[in-house]
C-alpha cells in the first residue's frame, strides 16, 4: 500500500498544472489551418505562405483595396504609355528592408527579373513573362515594358508572387524572409508556430501590435478547443462551421463572417464518355440542391452561385435561376441522353470538411436522379496527382480560392477538360477591354457562357468564417486579395480576455545529440559488462535489420504516387517551374544513386534537406524529439507507476475481490482506443473543467510549468492504455513465477505469500515486464501520432503524417528509419537488461 | 458469469448486429436528411442522429459488419500465411528458419501505424488496404508463435516415433504438430483479432480505412470530434462500440487461455 501511495503522490506533483503567466495584450495569436511549406512567397504557390508573410513581411509595388481597385504601395505612383505597353513606376523614398538596406530601383529590377528567370520557381512565372524588359531609369524609378496591353498587369503586381525582395537576402527567403513590411520575421517552430515582431524602421504607419504569432491547427477539434481555451485571439478561416454557434455564445469571442474569393464547385471531367454530353452535365447541375448542401456541409454559411463568379463583385450576375433544383428535369435529360437506367461515376473528395461532407450530400442528391456516385476520399497530394494532373476522375468538389480565376476556363487541358474557343475569345476581348463598362459586359458574358455549356456544378461561395477575440479591433479582412491586414489591428480597452502562454519561437536541436551521447555511453557500458563478442553479435543483427529497413522504406516511398514538386507548387505552377524545383530538390538522379546518397548521408548523420521546409531533416527531427521523447518517456513512467503496482496488487490477491476488480479494469483499459480516451479527456478536463489547455505546446522555453501542463492530458491518454497492458503482463508473470518450485520452497520455508512474491517472484517476473516496456518507448514515439493530432502537438508522429500528406518523402524515410532504429535498439536494451536480471542467460550467450 | 461466456455473449451481439445489418437496419445508413440532423437520442433514434441526419444506431450496426469483417479477414489471412511459415521454419531450421525469423523481426521493427500509413499512401486508402496492413503486421506474430511451439513439439517422443515410422517433415508438421497448436493459436488469434479491431478503428479515424458512405466506427469518431460540445452522443456511442467489441474479444481470449491452462494442468 505504501508503494501505491508514493506513486500517486509523485504523480500528483508531476502533473500539477502550474499557473500560466498571462501574455501582454500587444501580441496577436492567429490560428491558421495550414502551415506554409516555406516563407518565400515568390517560389511555389502555397496560399499558406501568403497567409503568413504577405503584407506582414513582404510588400509589392501595388496592392488591391477592399473595393477591388488598385492602390499604390511600394510604388508611390505610375504612368502608362499610350499604347498600354509600358509602365513607369516611381518608388516610395525612405523604404528600408528589415536588414537595414534601402529599397532602390535595382531591387525591383532584381525581384521581377528573378521571378521570370530560367531557374525561377515562381508560380506566376507564365503571367509575369508578359514583361519584355525592366529598366531602372533612376534610383527610384523603374520602367516595365510588356509584350502586349494587359489590363490585369497591376493586379498581377499586387500578388504575393510579385513582392519586392533584395538581392542580398533572396537566397534564404524560404527560411529567413526579409522584406519591407510592418513586421519582421522572428522565429519558426516547425509544425507549430511562426512568430513575427513589429519592424520599427517601417516606412508607413507602424503596426500597433508588437508581436504576431501564427499557430497551425488543421484539426477542427483542436481549433475549437484552442479558441475556447483562449490560446488564440483570431482564426480568420475557422475550419468547423458546425461549432460557430457555440463560439459565438462565448462572451469573449465574436464571429466575423465575410465573403471570400472561393467558389466551391462540383467539377466535372468532360473529356469523354457520358460527361462529354452537355445534357448529362446539365442533368447533374439540375440534380443539385445548393441550399441543402450549404445547410448540410456549411451549417448555412455560404451564398449559392449559378456560375464561377463571386457574388460580392460588382460584375456578378445571379444565374442560379438557370439551374434550379429539378430532379424531374434532370431525369428527363438523362433519359434523353440515353442514360435512363442511370449512370456510375466516381466522386473524388479532397480532405477539407466542405468537400467531404458536401460530397456525401451531393452523392445522395445524385442518387435521387439515378446517378450512382462512388465516393473516393483522397489526400491533397493524391488529389493533385490523380485529379488535377492525370485527370483520373469523373466528379470532384473543390473550392477555387484565387481571385479573378474565371481565366482557368480558358486554359488548355485544365483538369476538368473544358475546351471552348468561344470562351477563349471572350477572355481575349476582356484583356483588351478599353473601359470598365466593356469589362462589365464581357464578364457577364463569361459567366453566362459557363452556365450555357453546363461546364461544372456551381455550388456556393465559400465564406471566411472568422472567429476573434471581442476586444480585437481595426482588423481589416481584405478581399479580393485573400489578405488579412494586421498592421492596424489592436486590442480595444475594456474586457480583454485572459490569455494563455505565448508561443516561444526558439527551436532547439539538442535532442538528437543527447541521443547519440546516450547511445555511445550505453554501448561502452555493454562492452564492459557483457564482453565485446556478445555486443558485436547483437550489433550486427541490429545493423542488418536497419539495412533491411532502409531498403523496404526506400522502395515503398519510391512507389508512393504524387510528386513532391507538384504538391509544393500548387494549382497554378508552370511545368518549367516544377522542373526547376525537381533539380533543386535533387529528384533527377537514378533510383539506386539516390538510395546510396541517402544511406551514405544517414551514416554521416546527414538526414538530407526537407523538401517542403528546406531545412536539414535532422533539425526537424531534433525539434520534434524535444517534444516526443519527453512525452513518450513520461507516459512510460506514468504507465509504470500505475501498471506495476496494479499488477502486483492483483497478483498478491489472486482470486480475491481486488484481483477481480483490477482485472476487469485492466481489460477495459486495454480495450479503450487511445484517441477516444484523448477526446473524452479534452471534453472533460479542457472544455468542461478548464484545468488544462486543450491543445498546442508552448515550448520548453516557456518554462517547465506551462510545458508540462500542456502535456498532461496527452500523457494520460497515452499512458492509461499502456498501464493496463503492463498491469496485465505483470500480473500474469507474477502469478506464473509464483507457481515455480523456488517460490513454493520459499513459502514452505515459512515466508508469507506477499514476502515470497516480493523477494523471489518479483525479480524473476521482471522479464516479460521489461519486454513490454522496451517496446513501449518506440511505440509511443510513433503511435502517439493520432493522440498528437487530437491535441495538435508538434511531435514526431505528426511530422510523419504531415510529411506524407505533403509528399515530403525524405522526411518520411528518415523518421521511419529512426523509429525502426529506436525499436531495434530498445530490444537490444531489453535483452541486456534480461541478462542483468538473469546471469545464466548472459553466460549462455556470451560464451 | 465467467469471462469466456460473457465474452462470447458480447461478441455474439456484435456479430449478430453486423450480420443483421446486411439485410436490415432500423434506418437507411446512406439516407441523408439534413432536417433531422444532430437529434439527441430518442425512441425513434436510440443513439441520436449525426451531422447528416443519419441514424447512429443503424450506422453503428453497419459499422460492426465493416470493422469485424476487416479485422477478421486481416487476421485470418495472417493465420493462413503465418502458421505454414512457422511450421516450415521449425521443420527446416537452418538458414530458412533464420531468414524467416529475421524478416519477421524486420516487420516487428516497424511502428505499425507508420507501416499502415505508408501502405495507404502507396495503394490508396480503403477497406482492402486496411486488411492488407493488418495481415502484414500479423503474419510474423503467428509465424513466431507457431515456430516456437512447433520446435518444442519436435523434441517430443511422439514426433520421434512418427519420424521412425518414416513420415516426412511436411507430413509430421501437418498431422502431428499442427493439431497440437490449435490451443495457443486460437488464444493468440483472439488477442490479435481484438488488436486488429483497435487498429482498424485507428486507421479509419485518420481516414485510411473503409471509405464513406460505408459507415465505420473510427470515422464516426473523427466526424464527431468537433461536435462533441453540442452533440456528445456522437462521440460516446461509437467509442463505446469499439470498447465493448474489443472487450468482448479480450474476455474470450482470457477464457480460452484459462481453459487451456486447466486442460494442461489436468
Amino acid at each position: 500500500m505504501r508503494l501505491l501511495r508514493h506513486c500517486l503522490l509523485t504523480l500528483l506533483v508531476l502533473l500539477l498544472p502550474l499557473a500560466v503567466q498571462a501574455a501582454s495584450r500587444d501580441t496577436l495569436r492567429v490560428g491558421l489551418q495550414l502551415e506554409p511549406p516555406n516563407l518565400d512567397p515568390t517560389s511555389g504557390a502555397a496560399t499558406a505562405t501568403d497567409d503568413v508573410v504577405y503584407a506582414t513581411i513582404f510588400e509589392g509595388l501595388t496592392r488591391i483595396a477592399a473595393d477591388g481597385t488598385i492602390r499604390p504601395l511600394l510604388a508611390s505612383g505610375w504612368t502608362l504609355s499610350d499604347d498600354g505597353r509600358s509602365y513607369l513606376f516611381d518608388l516610395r523614398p525612405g523604404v528600408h528592408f528589415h536588414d537595414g538596406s534601402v529599397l532602390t530601383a535595382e531591387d525591383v529590377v532584381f525581384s521581377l527579373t528573378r521571378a521570370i528567370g530560367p531557374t525561377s520557381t515562381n508560380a506566376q512565372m507564365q503571367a509575369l513573362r508578359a514583361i519584355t524588359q525592366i529598366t531602372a531609369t533612376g534610383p527610384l524609378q523603374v520602367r516595365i515594358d510588356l509584350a502586349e496591353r494587359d489590363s490585369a498587369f497591376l493586379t498581377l503586381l499586387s500578388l504575393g508572387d510579385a513582392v519586392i525582395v533584395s538581392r542580398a537576402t533572396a537566397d534564404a527567403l524560404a527560411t529567413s524572409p526579409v522584406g519591407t513590411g510592418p513586421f519582421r520575421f522572428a522565429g519558426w517552430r516547425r509544425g507549430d508556430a511562426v512568430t513575427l515582431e513589429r519592424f520599427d524602421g517601417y516606412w508607413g504607419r507602424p503596426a500597433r501590435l508588437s508581436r504576431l504569432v501564427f499557430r497551425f491547427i488543421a484539426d477542427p477539434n483542436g481549433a475549437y478547443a484552442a479558441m475556447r481555451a483562449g490560446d488564440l485571439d483570431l482564426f480568420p478561416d475557422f475550419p468547423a462551421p458546425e461549432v460557430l454557434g457555440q463560439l459565438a455564445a462565448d462572451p469573449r469571442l465574436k464571429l466575423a463572417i465575410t465573403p471570400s474569393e472561393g467558389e466551391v464547385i462540383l467539377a466535372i471531367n468532360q473529356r469523354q464518355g457520358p460527361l462529354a454530353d452537355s445534357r448529362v452535365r446539365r442533368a447533374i447541375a439540375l440534380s443539385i440542391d445548393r441550399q441543402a448542401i450549404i445547410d448540410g456541409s456549411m451549417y448555412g454559411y455560404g451564398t449559392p452561385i449559378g456560375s464561377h463568379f463571386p457574388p460580392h463583385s460588382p460584375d456578378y450576375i445571379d444565374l442560379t435561376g438557370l439551374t434550379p433544383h429539378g430532379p424531374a428535369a434532370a431525369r428527363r435529360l438523362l433519359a434523353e441522353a440515353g442514360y435512363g437506367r442511370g449512370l456510375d461515376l466516381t466522386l473524388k473528395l479532397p480532405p477539407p470538411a466542405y468537400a467531404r461532407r458536401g460530397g456525401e450530400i451531393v452523392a445522395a442528391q445524385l442518387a435521387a436522379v439515378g446517378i450512382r456516385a462512388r465516393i473516393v476520399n483522397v489526400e491533397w497530394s493524391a488529389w493533385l496527382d490523380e485529379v488535377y494532373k492525370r485527370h483520373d476522375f469523373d466528379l470532384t468538389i473543390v473550392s477555387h480560392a484565387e481571385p479573378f480565376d474565371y481565366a482557368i476556363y480558358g486554359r488548355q487541358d485544365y483538369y476538368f477538360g473544358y475546351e471552348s474557343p468561344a470562351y477563349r475569345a471572350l477572355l481575349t476581348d476582356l484583356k483588351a477591354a478599353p473601359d470598365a463598362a466593356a469589362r462589365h459586359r464581357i464578364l457577364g458574358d463569361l459567366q453566362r457562357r459557363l452556365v450555357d455549356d453546363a461546364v461544372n456544378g456551381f455550388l456556393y461561395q465559400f465564406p471566411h468564417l472568422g472567429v476573434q477575440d471581442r476586444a480585437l479591433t481595426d482588423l481589416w479582412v481584405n478581399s479580393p486579395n485573400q489578405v488579412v491586414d494586421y498592421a492596424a489591428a489592436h486590442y480595444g480597452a475594456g474586457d480583454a480576455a485572459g490569455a494563455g502562454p505565448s508561443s516561444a519561437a526558439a527551436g532547439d536541436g539538442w535532442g538528437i545529440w543527447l541521443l547519440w551521447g546516450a547511445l555511445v555511453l550505453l554501448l561502452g557500458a555493454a562492452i564492459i559488462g557483457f564482453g565485446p563478442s556478445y555486443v558485436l553479435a547483437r550489433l550486427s543483427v541490429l545493423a542488418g535489420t536497419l539495412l533491411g529497413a532502409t531498403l523496404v522504406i526506400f522502395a515503398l516511398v519510391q512507389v508512393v504516387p504524387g510528386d513532391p514538386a507538384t504538391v509544393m507548387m500548387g494549382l497554378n505552377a508552370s511545368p518549367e517551374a516544377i522542373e526547376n524545383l525537381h533539380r533543386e530538390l535533387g529528384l533527377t538522379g537514378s533510383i539506386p544513386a539516390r538510395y546510396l546518397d541517402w544511406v551514405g548521408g544517414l551514416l554521416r548523420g546527414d538526414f538530407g534537406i526537407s523538401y517542403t521546409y528546406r531545412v536539414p531533416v535532422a533539425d526537424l527531427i531534433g525539434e520534434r524529439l524535444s517534444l516526443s521523447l519527453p512525452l513518450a518517456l513520461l507516459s512510460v513512467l506514468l504507465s509504470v507507476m500505475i501498471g506495476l503496482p496494479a499488477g502486483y496488487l492483483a497478483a498478491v490477491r489472486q482470486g480475491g475481490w481486488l484481483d477481480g476488480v483490477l482485472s476487469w479494469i485492466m481489460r477495459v483499459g486495454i480495450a479503450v482506443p487511445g484517441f477516444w480516451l484523448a477526446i473524452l479527456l479534452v471534453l472533460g478536463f479542457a472544455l468542461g473543467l478548464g484545468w488544462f489547455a486543450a491543445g498546442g505546446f508552448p515550448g520548453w522555453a516557456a518554462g517547465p510549468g506551462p510545458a508540462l501542463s500542456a502535456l498532461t492530458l496527452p500523457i494520460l491518454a497515452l499512458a492509461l492504455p499502456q498501464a493496463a497492458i503492463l498491469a496485465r503482463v505483470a500480473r500474469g508473470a507474477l502469478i506464473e513465477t509464483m507457481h515455480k518450485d523456488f517460490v513454493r520452497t520459499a513459502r514452505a520455508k515459512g515466508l508469507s505469500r506477499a514476502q515470497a512474491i516480493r523477494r523471489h517472484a518479483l525479480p524473476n517476473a521482471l522479464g516479460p515486464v521489461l519486454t513490454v516496456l522496451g517496446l513501449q518507448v518506440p511505440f509511443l514515439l510513433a503511435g502517439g501520432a493520432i493522440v498528437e493530432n487530437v491535441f495538435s502537438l508538434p511531435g514526431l508522429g505528426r511530422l510523419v503524417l504531415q510529411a506524407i500528406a505533403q509528399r515530403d518523402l525524405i522526411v518520411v524515410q528518415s523518421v521511419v528509419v529512426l523509429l525502426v532504429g529506436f525499436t531495434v535498439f530498445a530490444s537490444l536494451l531489453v535483452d541486456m537488461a534480461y541478462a542483468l536480471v538473469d546471469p545464466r542467460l548472459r553466460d549462455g550467450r556470451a560464451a | 458469469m465467467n469471462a469466456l461466456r460473457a465474452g462470447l455473449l458480447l461478441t455474439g451481439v456484435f456479430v449478430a448486429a453486423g450480420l443483421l445489418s446486411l439485410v436490415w437496419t432500423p434506418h437507411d445508413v446512406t439516407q441523408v436528411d439534413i432536417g433531422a440532423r444532430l437529434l439527441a437520442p430518442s425512441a425513434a433514434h436510440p443513439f441520436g442522429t449525426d451531422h447528416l441526419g443519419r441514424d447512429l444506431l443503424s450506422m453503428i450496426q453497419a459499422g460492426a459488419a465493416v470493422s469485424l469483417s476487416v479485422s477478421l479477414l486481416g487476421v485470418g489471412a495472417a493465420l493462413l500465411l503465418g502458421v505454414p511459415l512457422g511450421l516450415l521454419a521449425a521443420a527446416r531450421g537452418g538458414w530458412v528458419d533464420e531468414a524467416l525469423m529475421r524478416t519477421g523481426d524486420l516487420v516487428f521493427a516497424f511502428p505499425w501505424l507508420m507501416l499502415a500509413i505508408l501502405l495507404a499512401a502507396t495503394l490508396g486508402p480503403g477497406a482492402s488496404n486496411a486488411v492488407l496492413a493488418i495481415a502484414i503486421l500479423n503474419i510474423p506474430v503467428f509465424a513466431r508463435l507457431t515456430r516456437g511451439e512447433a520446435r518444442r513439439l519436435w523434441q517430443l517422443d511422439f514426433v520421434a516415433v512418427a519420424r521412425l515410422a518414416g513420415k516426412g517433415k511436411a507430413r509430421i508438421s501437418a498431422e502431428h504438430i499442427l493439431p497440437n497448436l490449435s490451443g495457443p493459436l486460437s488464444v493468440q488469434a483472439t488477442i490479435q483479432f481484438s488488436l486488429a479491431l483497435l487498429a482498424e478503428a485507428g486507421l479509419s479515424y485518420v481516414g485510411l480505412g473503409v471509405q464513406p458512405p460505408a459507415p465505420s466506427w473510427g470515422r464516426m469518431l473523427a466526424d464527431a470530434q468537433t461536435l462533441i460540445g453540442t452533440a456528445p452522443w456522437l462521440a460516446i456511442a461509437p467509442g463505446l462500440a469499439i470498447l465493448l467489441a474489443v472487450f468482448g474479444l479480450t474476455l474470450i481470449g482470457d477464457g480460452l487461455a484459462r481453459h487451456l491452462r486447466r486442460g494442461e494442468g489436468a
Side-chain angles (χ1 to χ4, degrees):
Chain A
M1 265 339 259
R2 213 177 55 218
L3 181 65
L4 184 69
R5 206 168 58 228
H6 271 124
C7 289
L8 286 175
L9 270 178
T10 323
L11 179 72
L12 269 177
V13 172
L14 184 75
L15 299 178
L16 199 68
L18 297 171
V20 276
Q21 77 261 33
S24 57
R25 292 252 86 185
D26 59 353
T27 293
L28 178 64
R29 293 157 309 165
V30 184
L32 295 176
Q33 291 189 45
L34 292 178
E35 177 171 31
N38 65 72
L39 299 179
D40 180 0
T42 66
S43 78
T47 51
T49 304
D50 279 356
D51 288 343
V52 172
V53 302
Y54 181 70
T56 51
I57 295 179
F58 292 106
E59 297 175 319
L61 291 176
T62 62
R63 75 174 305 168
I64 300 184
D67 58 3
T69 58
I70 302 288
R71 301 278 171 81
L73 194 61
L74 289 181
S76 55
W78 54 81
T79 52
L80 179 59
S81 67
D82 290 339
D83 62 357
R85 290 175 44 195
S86 181
Y87 285 91
L88 197 61
F89 289 97
D90 287 311
L91 302 184
R92 210 173 280 280
V95 174
H96 287 84
F97 284 99
H98 302 150
D99 64 351
S101 60
V102 179
L103 172 82
T104 65
E106 273 312 309
D107 296 313
V108 178
V109 174
F110 169 75
S111 301
L112 295 178
T113 311
R114 172 173 170 264
I116 61 178
T119 58
S120 165
T121 53
N122 194 301
Q124 290 292 343
M125 174 168 62
Q126 224 67 7
L128 284 167
R129 280 189 176 166
I131 298 173
T132 52
Q133 202 180 11
I134 317 168
T135 340
T137 50
L140 287 173
Q141 198 180 53
V142 183
R143 199 181 76 225
I144 299 181
D145 298 317
L146 304 180
E148 56 190 87
R149 174 192 283 273
D150 184 352
S151 62
F153 183 66
L154 288 173
T155 310
L156 184 64
L157 289 185
S158 75
L159 299 180
D161 310 88
V163 296
I164 304 305
V165 302
S166 82
R167 186 190 295 271
T169 57
D171 288 338
L173 293 180
T175 50
S176 52
V178 173
T180 58
F183 292 95
R184 57 183 189 78
F185 176 68
W188 183 2
R189 209 173 48 231
R190 282 165 186 81
D192 188 35
V194 167
T195 308
L196 309 184
E197 278 164 1
R198 178 168 52 217
F199 174 46
D200 292 321
Y202 186 54
W203 59 268
R205 231 175 76 176
R208 298 181 65 170
L209 297 164
S210 70
R211 198 193 250 270
L212 269 179
V213 180
F214 293 96
R215 268 192 53 200
F216 311 110
I217 306 179
D219 172 43
N221 191 50
Y224 173 72
M227 274 327 288
R228 279 300 293 270
D231 295 342
L232 291 175
D233 307 307
L234 169 71
F235 217 120
D237 277 292
F238 196 77
E242 62 270 33
V243 294
L244 287 179
Q246 283 166 266
L247 289 173
D250 188 323
R252 292 175 300 116
L253 301 174
K254 68 175 180 191
L255 302 184
I257 314 282
T258 52
S260 85
E261 288 297 314
E263 293 85 10
V264 180
I265 61 170
L266 173 68
I268 304 174
N269 186 0
Q270 44 215 281
R271 282 183 178 72
Q272 69 250 321
L275 295 176
D277 187 333
S278 73
R279 288 172 300 185
V280 177
R281 297 200 302 271
R282 188 173 310 283
I284 289 174
L286 287 170
S287 65
I288 288 165
D289 179 354
R290 296 186 182 89
Q291 199 56 48
I293 295 169
I294 295 171
D295 288 344
S297 62
M298 296 295 293
Y299 290 72
Y301 298 101
T303 314
I305 51 172
S307 183
H308 197 105
F309 215 79
H312 54 274
S313 162
D315 296 313
Y316 171 79
I317 44 176
D318 184 357
L319 299 174
T320 50
L322 294 182
T323 44
H325 179 46
R331 277 181 179 282
R332 269 198 305 280
L333 273 173
L334 279 178
E336 201 179 298
Y339 300 100
R341 289 165 168 226
L343 193 56
D344 286 289
L345 299 173
T346 58
L347 171 58
K348 291 199 173 169
L349 301 174
Y354 74 80
R356 294 275 165 94
R357 287 185 185 160
E360 293 195 47
I361 301 170
V362 164
Q365 292 176 355
L366 289 175
V369 302
I371 298 174
R372 294 171 293 273
R374 187 172 66 88
I375 292 176
V376 183
N377 285 344
V378 292
E379 284 173 83
W380 270 123
S381 42
W383 188 91
L384 283 168
D385 184 55
E386 293 168 25
V387 176
Y388 191 74
K389 199 166 150 200
R390 293 195 282 115
H391 313 144
D392 173 20
F393 74 109
D394 294 322
L395 305 170
T396 187
I397 292 179
V398 71
S399 166
H400 279 266
E402 302 79 14
F404 315 113
D405 53 9
Y406 45 79
I408 57 175
Y409 290 83
R411 287 219 201 160
Q412 300 275 353
D413 204 31
Y414 200 55
Y415 74 101
F416 42 73
Y418 175 60
E419 306 284 343
S420 161
Y423 191 87
R424 287 199 186 114
L426 282 172
L427 283 177
T428 315
D429 290 350
L430 184 70
K431 243 185 179 177
D435 54 39
R439 270 185 77 83
H440 181 77
R441 186 176 45 74
I442 300 169
L443 284 170
D445 291 343
L446 285 171
Q447 294 171 57
R448 257 184 293 269
R449 182 93 239 158
L450 295 181
V451 187
D452 290 345
D453 292 343
V455 183
N456 290 320
F458 303 104
L459 306 180
Y460 59 94
Q461 196 71 23
F462 201 87
H464 287 298
L465 303 173
V467 184
Q468 62 174 76
D469 190 309
R470 216 169 254 288
L472 190 66
T473 51
D474 282 339
L475 183 81
W476 183 45
V477 180
N478 194 347
S479 182
N481 213 2
Q482 312 176 268
V483 171
V484 181
D485 189 340
Y486 299 103
H490 63 101
Y491 293 95
D495 56 341
S502 70
S503 277
D508 36 13
W510 50 264
I512 198 99
W513 294 113
L514 210 72
L515 209 72
W516 286 124
L519 224 147
V520 169
L521 276 179
L522 274 165
L523 278 180
I527 290 176
I528 295 167
F530 300 97
S533 64
Y534 171 69
V535 175
L536 207 68
R538 292 304 320 234
L539 276 185
S540 66
V541 171
L542 194 149
T545 311
L546 277 180
L547 187 69
T550 57
L551 277 167
V552 170
I553 295 164
F554 191 80
L556 266 176
V557 160
Q558 293 317 302
V559 290
V560 168
D563 167 34
T566 314
V567 174
M568 288 165 63
M569 298 296 284
L571 298 186
N572 294 319
S574 71
E576 206 183 331
I578 291 178
E579 198 42 49
N580 286 336
L581 190 58
H582 270 154
R583 221 164 295 135
E584 238 181 271
L585 298 177
L587 285 171
T588 42
S590 75
I591 286 180
R594 269 157 51 203
Y595 173 74
L596 290 178
D597 255 15
W598 175 56
V599 174
L602 285 181
L603 292 177
R604 291 192 310 272
D606 172 12
F607 288 64
I609 306 286
S610 156
Y611 297 160
T612 45
Y613 288 132
R614 314 280 178 96
V615 296
V617 177
D619 289 1
L620 279 181
I621 294 178
E623 238 176 66
R624 298 306 180 97
L625 270 184
S626 74
L627 169 73
S628 285
L629 204 57
L631 179 63
L633 291 176
L634 286 172
S635 304
V636 170
L637 189 68
L638 181 61
S639 76
V640 168
M641 281 172 10
I642 298 173
L644 286 191
Y648 174 78
L649 274 179
V652 172
R653 305 281 160 83
Q654 191 198 354
W657 67 268
L658 188 62
D659 179 32
V661 171
L662 283 173
S663 295
W664 283 86
I665 293 177
M666 288 172 206
R667 289 191 188 115
V668 173
I670 288 173
V672 170
F675 58 93
W676 187 53
L677 184 61
I679 296 172
L680 294 183
L681 286 172
V682 168
L683 181 67
F685 293 100
L687 299 184
L689 295 170
W691 288 0
F692 300 98
F697 183 61
W700 294 106
L708 282 178
S709 163
L711 291 184
T712 304
L713 294 183
I715 288 173
L716 281 174
L718 287 174
L720 292 181
Q722 297 298 319
I725 295 176
L726 205 59
R728 247 171 91 90
V729 171
R731 175 184 177 274
L734 271 175
I735 289 175
E736 192 167 315
T737 39
M738 268 159 26
H739 294 299
K740 292 268 163 66
D741 289 342
F742 62 92
V743 180
R744 286 191 182 154
T745 314
R747 290 216 58 190
K749 267 188 343 195
L751 291 184
S752 75
R753 188 181 165 83
Q755 280 172 321
I757 289 175
R758 217 162 346 183
R759 294 200 200 147
H760 296 278
L762 203 56
N764 284 287
L766 274 179
V769 172
L770 280 174
T771 307
V772 173
L773 272 181
L775 289 174
Q776 264 187 8
V777 179
F779 171 83
L780 288 174
L781 271 179
I786 298 181
V787 170
E788 282 171 15
N789 245 352
V790 175
F791 293 101
S792 48
L793 295 176
L796 203 58
R798 212 157 70 108
L799 177 66
V800 179
L801 283 178
Q802 212 179 337
I804 288 211
Q806 292 168 345
R807 294 295 183 266
D808 194 349
L809 302 176
I810 186 93
V811 171
V812 177
Q813 285 171 201
S814 302
V815 178
V816 178
V817 162
L818 189 75
L819 288 170
V820 170
F822 265 124
T823 314
V824 180
F825 188 67
S827 69
L828 175 67
L829 283 185
V830 167
D831 281 1
M832 295 197 315
Y834 252 105
L836 281 180
V837 174
D838 187 353
R840 284 167 306 172
L841 207 58
R842 174 185 58 187
D843 298 340
R845 290 216 188 167
Chain B
M1 189 159 46
N2 70 30
L4 184 58
R5 241 182 257 158
L8 283 172
L9 189 72
L10 202 50
T11 309
V13 169
F14 278 103
V15 171
L19 284 176
L20 182 64
S21 79
L22 301 179
V23 288
W24 180 84
T25 50
H27 297 264
D28 183 353
V29 290
T30 55
Q31 183 71 50
V32 172
D33 181 3
I34 301 302
R37 74 161 166 231
L38 299 182
L39 296 180
S42 65
H45 303 282
F47 291 171
T49 61
D50 78 345
H51 61 283
L52 292 177
R54 294 172 297 197
D55 177 50
L56 223 57
L57 173 63
S58 309
M59 288 180 76
I60 283 177
Q61 197 194 331
V66 172
S67 293
L68 289 173
S69 55
V70 165
S71 309
L72 191 64
L73 282 173
V75 174
L79 256 178
L80 284 181
L81 283 167
V83 172
L85 285 176
L87 287 174
L88 178 70
R92 290 289 298 269
W95 68 268
V96 177
D97 184 21
E98 191 68 19
L100 285 172
M101 288 306 113
R102 287 292 88 79
T103 313
D105 286 347
L106 188 59
V107 176
F108 277 134
F110 275 88
W112 73 268
L113 188 64
M114 297 299 143
L115 200 61
I117 289 171
L118 270 178
L119 278 177
T122 309
L123 305 168
S128 53
N129 293 326
V131 171
L132 187 67
I134 289 172
I136 289 180
L137 290 164
N138 277 301
I139 289 172
V141 174
F142 292 117
R144 209 181 254 202
L145 176 74
T146 306
R147 169 185 175 272
E149 290 288 313
R151 272 169 65 114
R152 189 175 60 82
L153 292 170
W154 273 101
Q155 312 295 330
L156 297 184
D157 290 345
F158 74 97
V159 175
V161 170
R163 294 192 76 169
L164 287 176
K167 288 186 182 174
K169 282 185 174 179
R171 212 172 137 195
I172 293 177
S173 291
E175 288 178 11
H176 298 281
I177 308 281
L178 190 57
N180 283 298
L181 293 180
S182 62
L185 276 178
S186 59
V187 172
Q188 192 67 37
T190 321
I191 294 171
Q192 295 310 119
F193 192 6
S194 72
L195 293 179
L197 269 179
L198 277 177
E200 194 274 338
L203 285 179
S204 322
Y205 175 77
V206 289
L208 300 176
V210 63
Q211 296 296 297
S216 100
W217 294 340
R219 208 183 50 254
M220 285 166 77
L221 275 179
D223 283 343
Q225 240 187 82
T226 54
L227 291 162
I228 191 162
T230 31
W233 61 88
L234 285 180
I236 303 300
L240 271 180
I242 300 172
L243 193 155
L244 289 176
V246 177
F247 187 55
L249 286 166
T250 314
L251 286 178
I252 296 182
D254 284 0
L256 281 177
R258 186 171 304 163
H259 194 69
L260 211 66
R261 270 201 307 275
R262 211 171 287 150
E264 266 169 20

